[in-house]
């Protein structure tokens, strides 16, 4: 292992590969900032460029830099205009955007940058130390365990439900699961619930739904409520630095979620999206009651948790890709195609047969995270000035990126009509005080939940797999605890308050 690391250091720190890291990080960061152009799109575009380089190490370092650069930069649009163009940055908008509305956009971007750097760095270190051992752990997970893991992800809705809103959050989650069933099913390759619309055969696009749930209603709110566009720091960007108390508060959150996010990223099929939602849910559930109430209203902990988790998970997803040849997400599936095109065979022998590729990619991740921090921190004051743009210009700006993101995602005009229809519905639901985040969680996890449940049913001839696999039972038990814990806490608080009132 030590010999392999030394070979990787020599490869990663060559001038060519350092330039590849810088180039990949720059491209990824700016693409991540644009809603609609996520890492999958840009990596697919970059594959011919990578293949033309010739050197497999340099090509993979470039593509990896684009990948984690896009995750790093994806938080910017989520924080500034509430338009998460990448699934893994949806949870970032829950507290990042409220902070921006309070005139603390600079601080929000700083917290996101530091959390992303720490999550990616911890992930790279853990990847270097535990990659061979974690590959064998990933093999223990089958369809039944992935189904249970999706249920755990859905149990996070309790964290996004305000006081007395658990019922509403559950309804919105069910609506998201229903929307995930539109298109071809897991058991039969036949379209369902498409209402005869050909463009719905592949289902609703994530980008379209994310824009309709968050960005479009925001533009409508700015029109309907002009006072909403005025922030406390309007016209002046301040509070770029985090205070010592804030740093002390987010440090343990970053530590916990970097480790948890990495472990979730290691599991093929889990990825950065589930890691970010679970990270947010866990931190809200373990926070003291007075801090829990700040989640969703501009909590630095609520911002640091998903940013640390999704960047660590992004790094962790390279464990199954490099050591098993199993892609854990759509992005890593494209990276697997790039590996094969470069005549690199990922699997258990990659570490032994081509250590210069395996270790160079891992070490370049650490270098890339340092470069991303150096690139992003000086730019924060300028990026944050987006919010100083007058409302008359900001509304068309949001609408442009919303429509562009939806159109690029599916490349057809029908998607724009679907976007407008869903956006109007989302605005009505927001006026009715229904939380929109659970709908998106249900939609994102719904297809994976159905696919893994269907495969488990086929393998075990029914639902017997729940009893036959102890790990599945354990994960489902964890999901029950995550749902029940907030209700138990609320009930205990009510009883305590009643006891105090009776004593008086």
């Amino acid at each position: 292992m030590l010999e392999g690391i030394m070979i990787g250091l020599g490869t990663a720190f060559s001038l060519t590969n350092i330039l590849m890291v810088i180039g990949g990080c720059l491209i990824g960061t700016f693409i991540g900032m644009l809603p609609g152009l996520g890492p999958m799109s840009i990596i697919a575009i970059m594959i011919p460029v990578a293949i033309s380089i010739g050197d497999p190490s340099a090509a993979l370092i470039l593509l990896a830099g684009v990948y984690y650069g896009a995750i790093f930069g994806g938080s910017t649009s989520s924080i500034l205009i509430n338009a998460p163009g990448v699934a893994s940055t949806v949870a970032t908008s829950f507290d990042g955007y409220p902070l921006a509305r309070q005139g603390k956009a600079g601080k929000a971007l700083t917290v996101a940058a530091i959390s992303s750097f720490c999550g990616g760095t911890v992930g790279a270190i853990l990847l270097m130390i535990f990659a061979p051992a974690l590959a064998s752990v990933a093999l223990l997970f089958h369809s039944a365990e992935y189904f249970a893991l999706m249920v755990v992800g859905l149990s996070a809705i309790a964290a996004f439900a305000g006081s007395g809103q658990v019922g509403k959050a559950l309804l919105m989650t069910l609506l998201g699961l229903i929307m995930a069933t539109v298109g071809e099913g897991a058991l039969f390759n036949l379209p369902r619930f498409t209402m005869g619309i050909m463009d719905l055969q592949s289902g609703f696009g994530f980008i379209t739904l994310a824009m309709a749930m968050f960005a479009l209603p925001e533009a409508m709110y700015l029109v309907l409520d002009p006072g909403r566009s005025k922030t406390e720091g309007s016209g002046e960007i301040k509070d770029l630095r985090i205070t010592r108390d804030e740093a002390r508060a987010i440090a343990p959150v970053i530590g916990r979620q970097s480790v948890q996010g990495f472990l979730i990223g290691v599991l093929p099929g889990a990825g950065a999206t589930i890691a970010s939602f679970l990270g947010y849910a866990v931190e809200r559930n373990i926070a003291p009651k007075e801090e829990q109430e700040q989640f969703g209203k501009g909590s630095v902990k609520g911002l640091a948790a998903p940013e640390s988790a999704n960047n660590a998970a992004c790094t962790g997803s390279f464990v199954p890709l490099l050591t098993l040849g199993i892609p854990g997400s759509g992005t890593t599936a494209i990276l697997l195609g790039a590996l094969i095109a470069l005549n690199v065979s990922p699997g258990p022998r990659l570490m032994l047969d081509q250590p210069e590729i395996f270790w160079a990619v891992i070490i370049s991740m650490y270098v890339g995270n340092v470069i991303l921090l150096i690139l992003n921190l000086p730019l924060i004051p300028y990026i944050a000035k987006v919010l100083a743009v007058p409302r008359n210009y900001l509304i068309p700006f949001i609408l442009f990126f919303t429509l562009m993101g939806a159109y690029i995602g599916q490349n057809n005009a029908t998607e724009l009509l679907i976007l407008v229809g869903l956006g109007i519905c989302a605005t009505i639901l927001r006026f009715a005080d229904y939380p929109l985040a659970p709908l998106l969680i249900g939609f994102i996890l719904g297809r994976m939940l159905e696919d893994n449940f269907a495969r488990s049913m086929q393998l075990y001839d029914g639902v017997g797999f729940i009893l036959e696999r102890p790990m599945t039972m354990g994960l489902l038990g964890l999901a029950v605890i995550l749902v029940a814990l907030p209700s138990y806490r609320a009930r205990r608080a009510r009883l305590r308050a009643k006891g105090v009132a009776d004593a008086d």
Side-chain angles (χ1 to χ4, degrees), residues 209-222:
L209 192 61
M211 295 298 170
M213 292 298 107
F214 294 98
L216 202 58
E218 191 56 42
M220 291 183 181
Y221 259 59
L222 290 173

Side-chain angles (χ1 to χ4, degrees), residues 289 484-499:
K289 190 175 186 302
L485 188 61
S487 300
Y488 168 74
R489 277 185 167 181
R491 185 171 181 274
R492 192 176 63 177
R494 283 197 303 270
L495 290 173
R496 190 179 296 151
K498 186 179 178 182

Side-chain angles (χ1 to χ4, degrees), residues 437-459:
L439 186 149
L440 205 57
I441 295 171
F443 177 78
I444 291 168
L445 301 183
R447 183 59 63 89
M448 293 186 283
L449 180 84
E450 183 189 7
D451 288 352
N452 286 292
F453 182 72
R455 277 196 292 268
S456 301
M457 290 274 285
Q458 288 175 328
L459 288 170

Side-chain angles (χ1 to χ4, degrees), residues 162-249:
S163 178
Q165 282 194 321
V166 177
K168 287 183 176 180
L170 184 61
L171 282 172
M172 295 302 284
T173 307
L174 290 173
L175 181 58
L177 289 170
I178 290 168
M179 292 181 73
T181 63
V182 175
E184 293 182 355
L187 287 174
F188 308 103
N189 292 324
L190 293 171
R192 47 188 188 167
F193 313 128
T194 60
M195 296 170 287
I197 302 171
M198 287 293 292
D199 291 319
L200 284 180
Q201 275 197 258
S202 56
F204 292 105
F206 159 73
I207 297 294
T208 303
L209 192 61
M211 295 298 170
M213 292 298 107
F214 294 98
L216 202 58
E218 191 56 42
M220 291 183 181
Y221 259 59
L222 290 173
V223 174
L224 298 171
D225 184 9
R228 182 178 170 81
S229 65
K230 296 176 183 176
T231 63
E232 292 175 16
S234 192
E236 183 185 354
I237 305 303
K238 54 186 180 178
D239 286 333
L240 297 177
R241 294 183 180 179
I242 57 174
T243 64
R244 186 173 296 178
D245 289 339
E246 287 168 336
R248 198 178 294 121

